[in-house]
Amino acid sequence: MPYDYGKFKEAFRASREALQPFRENRLNALRQYVGDKYSWNGAKEPVPVNMIKMLVETNTTNLLSGVPQVMITTRHKQLRPYAESMQLAVNQALKDAKPTRHFQEAIADSMFVMGIMKVGIADEIDQSTDSIAFEGGIFLSPVSLDDFVMDMSVRSVYAASWYGCRYTAPKEVIEKAYKKKVEARDLGWSNESGDERDNLSRYPSSSRNIDEHEVKAEVWEIYFPSEKRIRIYEHGDDGIGQELDEYDYEGPSSGPYSFLYYSKPTNSAMPTAPVMDLIDLHMSANKLWRKADRQAQRQKYVGVVGTTGEDDGRRVVQASDGQMIRLDDPKAVGNVNFGGVNPDNINFFNMVWQQFNMFGNNLSVLAGLGAQSPTATQDTLLHNAANKIVARMQESVVQFTRDIIEKIVWYMWNHPVLEMQIRKKVENTNIVVDSIWGPNERVGDFMAYNIDVNPHSLRSMSPGERLMGLQSYLANVMMPMMPYIQAQGGVPNAEVISKTWADLSGDPAINDFIQWTGAPQTAPEPPMTPPNKPPGQTRRYERISRAADNPMGNLQQIGRNMGRAAQTSPEGMTQ
């Protein structure tokens, strides 16, 4: 169907309206995420138990916390050296650009609705946005759902006949780029549909423009996959305004955008997300906690006297701690506890938390909040089960990351002058030389190379974890294979192992334990070791399970204690 501006403008407006419930629900969830102390536009009530933040940050950290690294291979033997050079160049570009923050932002967005990332060659407008720049002008930028639009008449985002995003830039930059006059806009509170924008840190009134020193304007950039065309429109009060420009799209066949989500209803354009499923439990838990807090503040513990015990009460008030006094009628004097936290509310809060924890895929296990069950074996089973669910989510993150990096590599491959300095190891030696990856190194067809993401690179490892990995390698790989290593002329580099161990353990004194003279020494014969079990010795192995201190058990015990406290007074008098 040929392009028609009038029909497209109506389709654009209808699709933005169809996306409005997703934007509004996401904004309400974001307010819970930031709480009531963040800004004027945060949550309207206190959020003392921020389960949403725990859910988002725990999953984001587990899914990606390191700089992604790639593995580039090819089936063609003659291209393998070029594949190795390209892998070194791409990984170096990723390390230099440090895109982890932008990937995490997209992953966090996928917890609310959907993560969106754009890749392209930066122009003046792109440079004014929050984007990561790679060598050669290649940029990577997360896109908020608030600034996104797509054809909502389709059954999948990948089947959309058009989609794009909104940019905000200085008015003079936009006019210079497209050589047309545009209207200055007060960014204010709302979208064109009347729903609030997702900038929660803005001033809470559209009458105040924080950035008054620089006049801003907004444009929509829309990609049409079937035409391989991009059209630029001015942002209008009812959708889009005038068309500012259009040009052929010159980029990877997958288009400029990548999408991340974990679950989608059949025949629906938009996905579901973890926060959508759990926001009601979060709201319920915080209502219960606020109610318990009000009850606790109303609680009073007072002394009371009967009509005949006024003198006894006065003597009690005037007495010092430990003093012996006379009471005419001890039964007429006592203490009464008024109000206090209802234990049923605490027990119900515990149940809500358990449901949130369960539907959040054993969230407390993923967050590492200590023991969650009575035995270590049960904790291991819980952790393994939680990791299976995270692994399924991580498959989506790996695919999302792969799609983005393929776009970046495509632009690097087709860049006419891009050159990158790499350090390459000479085959079968320990010699490393400096080399240049440039146009002459891009041999063969781009499609002949397979680009994959190393899943282990998505998660940063602490020095302790790396030390455990080294220990496991030495014990389970190197030592058992030592005869084969020596048979092929291999010799373990003990000095490197010792220095690596010192670095990872954070104890440089380990380097002083051994003096490396450089002169080879004859290894002494290993001493004879006594057998592990002397003759006649008997051993008995007994397995004992001990209850662990876990957060859920503590909350349940508090609820039981409150129930007992509500039934009796401190003196054992029934209330």
Side-chain angles (χ1 to χ4, degrees), residues 19-76:
L19 283 167
Q20 183 173 342
F22 294 93
R23 294 195 301 269
E24 290 180 343
N25 290 335
R26 172 178 172 270
L27 178 60
N28 291 332
L30 283 172
R31 286 195 168 109
Q32 292 298 308
Y33 174 80
V34 301
D36 65 311
K37 307 299 189 297
Y38 177 70
S39 71
W40 287 294
N41 303 300
K44 304 305 180 187
E45 294 185 283
V47 186
V49 188
N50 202 329
M51 296 180 176
I52 293 298
K53 189 168 187 177
M54 179 182 177
L55 172 75
V56 172
E57 295 192 351
T58 298
N59 279 289
T60 300
T61 303
N62 276 282
L63 292 172
L64 190 146
S65 57
V67 177
Q69 297 286 275
V70 301
M71 299 174 288
I72 300 179
T73 58
T74 178
R75 293 182 298 172
H76 307 282

Side-chain angles (χ1 to χ4, degrees), residues 212-474:
E212 293 174 349
H213 75 282
E214 192 171 40
V215 180
K216 297 289 183 68
E218 292 180 313
V219 297
W220 285 95
E221 179 189 279
I222 308 298
Y223 172 59
F224 295 81
S226 61
E227 302 178 58
K228 297 292 182 184
R229 298 281 286 174
I230 289 179
R231 294 183 173 92
I232 310 295
Y233 304 90
E234 182 180 4
H235 178 74
D237 292 332
D238 60 346
I240 56 172
Q242 63 173 322
E243 184 175 326
L244 300 175
D245 195 12
E246 69 172 292
Y247 50 87
D248 289 332
Y249 167 69
E250 297 179 356
S253 58
S254 57
Y257 296 91
S258 299
F259 306 98
L260 173 62
Y261 56 86
Y262 311 105
S263 179
K264 186 180 79 67
T266 306
N267 295 334
S268 300
M270 292 297 288
T272 61
V275 170
M276 293 182 188
D277 301 330
L278 296 172
I279 185 70
D280 289 337
L281 288 171
H282 163 91
M283 299 294 289
S284 178
N286 279 277
K287 287 178 182 177
L288 286 166
W289 196 275
R290 289 193 296 267
K291 185 172 185 177
D293 180 70
R294 292 193 299 270
Q295 291 175 344
Q297 293 184 47
R298 291 197 302 266
Q299 185 267 342
K300 290 183 179 180
Y301 185 68
V302 297
V304 294
V305 296
T307 56
T308 61
E310 290 186 11
D311 292 338
D312 287 345
R314 191 175 296 107
R315 285 191 285 269
V316 169
V317 170
Q318 295 173 350
S320 301
D321 183 35
Q323 181 181 352
M324 187 71 69
I325 60 174
R326 176 179 65 82
L327 293 179
D328 298 330
D329 185 5
K331 292 183 179 180
V333 180
N335 293 313
V336 177
N337 189 17
F338 292 98
V341 178
N342 187 329
D344 290 338
N345 290 341
I346 295 298
N347 291 331
F348 186 52
F349 173 87
N350 292 340
M351 187 181 73
V352 171
W353 161 246
Q354 287 175 336
Q355 294 298 305
F356 190 96
N357 188 46
M358 180 180 69
F359 289 112
N361 305 328
N362 283 335
L363 188 61
S364 54
V365 175
L366 297 176
L369 300 181
Q372 305 298 317
S373 61
T375 67
T377 301
Q378 289 175 324
D379 257 10
T380 301
L381 293 173
L382 286 172
H383 191 269
N384 291 340
N387 280 343
K388 288 179 182 178
I389 299 171
V390 172
R392 180 178 60 80
M393 297 174 69
Q394 192 161 35
E395 287 177 8
S396 299
V397 173
V398 169
Q399 183 177 349
F400 174 70
T401 307
R402 183 191 300 118
D403 187 51
I404 292 170
I405 293 179
E406 282 179 352
K407 299 181 198 298
I408 295 172
V409 177
W410 188 95
Y411 283 110
M412 293 177 66
W413 178 272
N414 290 282
H415 201 289
V417 296
L418 176 63
E419 291 185 343
M420 292 197 62
Q421 187 170 351
I422 58 175
R423 304 201 71 198
K424 196 171 182 180
K425 187 176 181 180
V426 179
E427 191 174 359
N428 298 324
T429 70
N430 291 324
I431 301 174
V432 178
V433 297
D434 292 331
S435 179
I436 297 295
W437 185 78
N440 294 333
E441 290 287 317
R442 301 164 202 163
V443 177
D445 185 78
F446 180 71
M447 300 305 295
Y449 296 91
N450 301 314
I451 302 169
D452 202 1
V453 174
N454 180 1
H456 298 291
S457 69
L458 301 184
R459 182 175 176 271
S460 62
M461 297 179 65
S462 67
E465 290 173 316
R466 294 174 62 192
L467 187 63
M468 291 177 61
L470 174 61
Q471 186 177 9
S472 176
Y473 169 76
L474 294 174

Side-chain angles (χ1 to χ4, degrees), residues 89-101:
V90 173
N91 285 335
Q92 187 60 49
L94 290 167
K95 287 180 180 178
D96 292 343
K98 298 179 178 62
T100 302
R101 178 175 65 87

